[in-house]
Amino acid sequence: FIIESSQNYAYQSVNIALVERNWFIGYRIAEEELKGENRANYGTEIIKKLSKELKEEYGKGFDPRNLY
C-alpha cells in the first residue's frame, strides 16, 4: 500500500506540473505573442519558432504537434 500510494502521488504531481506547463505555454502564445488576436498563420509560425527554442533548451517533447 505504501509504495502504490507514493507512486500514485508522484504520477499525480507530474501530471499537475505538465498541465500547468502546457497552460503557461498556451498563455504565452495567445497573450504575449498573438496579443489575444486570432491570427492562424502567424500562430503557426510562432509555434514552430517556440518549438525550436524549447527543443534547444529542454530537449525532445516540444514538437509543434505537441504544442498544439
Side-chain angles (χ1 to χ4, degrees):
F1 176 75
I2 295 171
I3 293 173
E4 290 87 2
S5 178
S6 297
Q7 285 176 326
N8 287 335
Y9 181 76
Y11 296 146
Q12 188 177 32
S13 296
V14 169
N15 284 337
I16 290 169
L18 291 175
V19 167
E20 188 174 65
R21 178 200 68 184
N22 293 342
W23 187 90
F24 280 112
I25 288 171
Y27 177 82
R28 177 178 172 194
I29 292 168
E31 296 299 323
E32 295 177 19
E33 300 291 343
L34 297 177
K35 307 286 189 256
E37 295 180 22
N38 185 14
R39 296 184 280 173
N41 292 335
Y42 180 72
T44 300
E45 294 304 315
I46 289 297
I47 292 205
K48 288 178 187 175
K49 178 183 171 208
L50 183 60
S51 170
K52 183 179 178 206
E53 291 174 8
L54 291 171
K55 283 194 286 188
E56 287 173 1
E57 189 166 343
Y58 300 107
K60 65 180 183 175
F62 293 98
D63 293 327
R65 181 176 158 206
N66 291 343
L67 295 177
Y68 278 110

